[in-house]
Amino acid sequence: MTQARLTVEDLTVRYGALQAVRDISATFQPDSIVGLIGPNGAGKTTLLNALSGFTDITSGRVRLGERDITRLSGQARVALGIVRSFQTVRLLEDESVFLNVALGCERNPQPTVVEQIFSLPRQWRARRRDLAATYQILDTLGLSEFAGRAVAELPYATRRLVELARILVVHPEVVLLDEPAAGSDRAERDLMGRTLRQLHAREPFTMIVVEHDVDVVRKLCSYAIALDSGAMIASGEPDVVLENDRVQEAYFGVGHRA
Amino acid sequence: MPAVLAVGSLGNTLQVILGGLATGGLYAVLLLGVIVVFQVSKNVNFAYGELGVIGAFVGYVLYSTLHWPTPLALALGVAAAVVLAAVTDLTLIRRIPDRQGFDLVVTLGALLLLTAGTDVVFGSADRQYLNLFSDKARIVGGVYINAGDLLSLGLGLVALVGGHLIVNETGLGVSLRASAEDPAIARSMGIDVLSLRTAVWAASGLLAAVASMVIASRLVLDARYMTPVIINVFIAGMLGGLDRYWPPMLAAFGVGLYNSLAGYIFGSDASTPALFILVLAVLIIAPKRFLEERHEARA
Amino acid sequence: MRIAASIVVMAFVGLLPFALDSYWVFTLSEVMIYAIATIGLDIVFGRAGQLSLAQASFFGLGAYLAALTTTLPAGLQFLLVVATAMIAGAVVAIPTLRLSGLRLALVTLLFGELFIWALDHLGSLTGGTQGLVVPALAIGDSNSQDPTYGYMLVLFFAVAATLTAVQISRTQFGRRLLAVRDSEVAARSVGIGLVRTKVAAFMLSAIFAGVAGWLYAHVVGFVAPPTFDLFPSVYFLIAVILGGAGRVAGSWLGAAYIVLIPQAFSIIGQSNLFPILGGGVLILVALLLPGGLMDGATRTAGWIRARYAAMRQMSSNRRPA
């Protein structure tokens, strides 16, 4: 169960003269699935970057529960359980699926480098724990048969799953997904949507998803936020947000990618 | 007497400055080649100085052993370096795997290969190179002015201004930058990116050979005399940033001057630590943005 | 099975010095010394992807420390070498943290230049370009410059270095190194501290090189600047790339190459040809076999296995899939 609620207050991110995100305030309820929608350049990725500590916040606040995490580094936020994926898959392409997923165990408390190198008792326990977690999530996502394969050899949709496994290997609090189905076809999108729902049902966490596909948003999300030119133009039930006039104009007017 | 001494030391100082700027001019000639290569192919060639050494050696063999006319010999020396640079791009650089650091590794290999090859083919003895005006000098107002220094300084200024005009003011420069920014777009504009790259590499060979010949005339000719020079050139490039133009080119003059002054004040032995201190100081002081290489655009 | 094989190999390696003449025993010691330093470079370059051209300087640091502290007991010398190498590794790593690629290579190269400069200019201490003779380290009733004893001494540390490197592959630290090399973005996204990882990699790599240098001084008995300048640093790089980045066996193969091949050239009286071959090999391996020889061997073995399996499949009765 996720305890903490993620909130942003008057969040602004500026790059030079460009306001990539303007005065956004929102509350992400624990264990909800929130869809972030909007045309290209609306600031969706920037918002994810600001939440995950991948970009500097110009003004405003980000809180996890009562804790102000605005100035925390990305590394510190990961330690609090805020993890993310990227629009393009970021994996160690030459390494095995197993290694890529085990990398996510960084969030478990790890023994010091000296303990690791000399294989001291704390390292044995950590290793056992991390191996078990890795095999478990591989099994859950149906990746066990690929465990020893180099990531580069696998089809795109599988690599997406590997990235997801890396995020979920240690139970997260908040998961930020940047177009998890980008570059996938219809069937793969549906599959990704179903997988996300199942994973969420099994062990809930707060999930914030950037997604272009209206159907996926409708089926997956319990809440939706629409952005345009860095500002929030609508939020609420996905069906309501998608029917909103300004959303229709900003989003579908520009032409949406199916 | 004190007045004379003062004039003398002022003269000395001016002379040191002139010498430093002359060296800096040669660094600028070399750095121009490094910059254009980096801008068009994102690679740095560790064997760059060695291309010049080979050009200088070919010239040397032609005029001193075969007694060909000096201008012809030197021209053929330059041509040899140009061909070698183009061949480096065609045979090596185009095939470099997309793996961090492998461009450096391949050109380090080329450095080793060419240095040792030059050693074997031309022998490891020091040779006196052509004077190229470094024997002509005149004392003006207490300053000993060497024609070779003026030649170096002149070449440096030509490289500085000529490079600026070519890189920033001509269609060729636009093509260069387009290829550097986005090869796919450059191709769609009708630019033959690969040929352009090879041409730029060839041009860098020309710059390397000219500078190496002048440097050989000031020092001696052997297989390794360009290695310390090229390290200084890379340092200037590193300090200024190879994806810019004016900062690194001016840094080339600056490094030449700095080295010369440090040598004058602390003795010629001090140039290695002096340079080291300069680099460390810049690394520590320089703002983060200045040092960052272009980052992955969209995380 | 694996344990039995290891015992056989260790017994063979341990008995080798009694079967070979002292020249070859000495040469094998050299291979092991260079293997230790190469394994060190493999940690920082092969695994963490940080191109360092200062490995020969760390090697030299250990060697000169040995030469200057011969009066101390061996254990104390060893601790001193490890501590100094750790500090030196951190000193190189910290100013270069914001750098990568060319800039990193250049600054590490400058550290190397400064080291050589210091050796040349602290003549009263280091013997300048003349170098220093290092008295043998007494071990029991013999000493480190006795080929067999030297071999055993080096073997002990080489095995320890190899086991350490293998163990690193099994740890989260080992995975952090690979992540820093392959994708800093991915590394940050799982919460890996880039700075701490890079500094640790540099420190470890310096310790390996320092210990190797320490052994070198005691076994060879002589240290001079050319053994520790830019070219040897490039040779270490060749050893890592030739053998295969991130593979311990590769480091051994690479070290054997950079020690044995020059010997072969000097036996035929053409020692100046080695650098040419070295450069050529570096280029060819980097272009054609970027995973190194070990990777090439693994791929070939995998290919053969796949062919074999396919043949068996064809010859056996076909079953519906």
Side-chain angles (χ1 to χ4, degrees), chain A residues 88-151:
Chain A
T88 45
V89 182
R90 303 288 181 159
L91 293 166
L92 318 189
E93 295 287 330
D94 295 334
E95 305 301 333
S96 68
V97 168
F98 176 85
L99 188 140
N100 272 281
V101 176
L103 208 53
C105 297
E106 184 70 22
R107 281 189 295 122
N108 280 328
Q110 294 292 341
T112 62
V113 172
V114 172
E115 284 171 301
Q116 294 189 32
I117 290 174
F118 291 108
S119 196
L120 300 182
R122 257 161 56 88
Q123 163 65 12
W124 306 347
R125 287 194 290 274
R127 182 173 151 80
R128 247 197 324 265
R129 173 201 64 199
D130 292 348
L131 291 190
T134 306
Y135 281 121
Q136 199 191 341
I137 191 73
L138 286 175
D139 189 44
T140 307
L141 287 171
L143 291 168
S144 298
E145 57 175 314
F146 306 115
R149 298 269 297 277
V151 166

Side-chain angles (χ1 to χ4, degrees), chain A residues 28 32-38 44 47 177 207-211 216-218 220-227 234-236 238 241:
Chain A
F28 302 93
S32 61
I33 303 182
V34 180
L36 276 182
I37 60 172
K44 306 182 297 286
L47 180 56
L177 302 175
M207 178 154 75
I208 303 171
V209 196
V210 172
E211 183 52 68
V216 172
V217 173
R218 272 188 227 274
L220 179 65
C221 303
S222 53
Y223 195 81
I225 292 176
L227 300 182
S235 64
V241 169

Side-chain angles (χ1 to χ4, degrees), chain B residues 44 46 91-92 95-97 99-102 104-106 108-113 115-117 120 224 227 231 234-235 237-244 269-273 275-276 279-280 282-288 290-293 295-296 299, chain C residues 45-46 48-51 53 95-96 98-107 109-111 113-114 117 121 180-185 188 230-231 234-235 237-238 241 245 272-280 282-283 285-291 295:
Chain B
V44 170
F46 265 103
T91 57
L92 303 184
R95 292 166 210 266
I96 288 174
R99 215 161 152 166
Q100 198 187 3
F102 269 57
L104 299 177
V105 167
V106 168
L108 270 173
L111 169 68
L112 209 59
L113 183 72
T115 308
V120 170
R224 288 152 203 261
T227 307
I231 289 175
F234 283 153
I235 287 170
M238 179 180 87
L239 295 179
L242 288 177
D243 44 5
R244 309 183 181 89
D269 276 349
S271 70
T272 302
L275 205 58
F276 186 82
V279 169
L280 272 200
V282 171
L283 287 186
I284 291 163
I285 296 165
K288 189 167 166 229
F290 192 77
L291 291 174
E292 259 172 9
E293 287 165 45
H295 259 291
E296 296 162 276
Chain C
F45 171 67
Q50 309 297 305
L51 181 53
L53 288 174
T96 57
R98 297 190 291 174
L99 309 179
S100 60
L102 170 73
R103 287 177 167 179
L104 177 64
L106 261 182
V107 176
L109 181 153
L110 272 183
F111 270 102
E113 296 280 301
L114 190 70
W117 181 88
H121 286 79
V180 166
R181 176 189 73 190
D182 287 351
S183 171
E184 291 201 351
V185 172
R188 282 171 59 197
L230 174 62
F231 275 35
V234 178
Y235 289 147
L237 203 60
I238 295 177
I241 290 171
N272 56 354
L273 290 184
F274 172 67
I276 300 189
L277 180 76
L282 186 57
I283 292 171
V285 172
L287 293 184
L288 303 178
L289 211 62
D295 188 51

Side-chain angles (χ1 to χ4, degrees), chain C residues 37 47 53 59 64 78 128 158 164 172 180 197 201 204 233 237 249 264 306:
Chain C
R47 301 185 196 213
L53 288 174
F59 187 59
Y64 273 89
F78 176 76
T164 308
Q172 182 70 13
V180 166
T197 307
L204 260 177
S233 278
L237 203 60

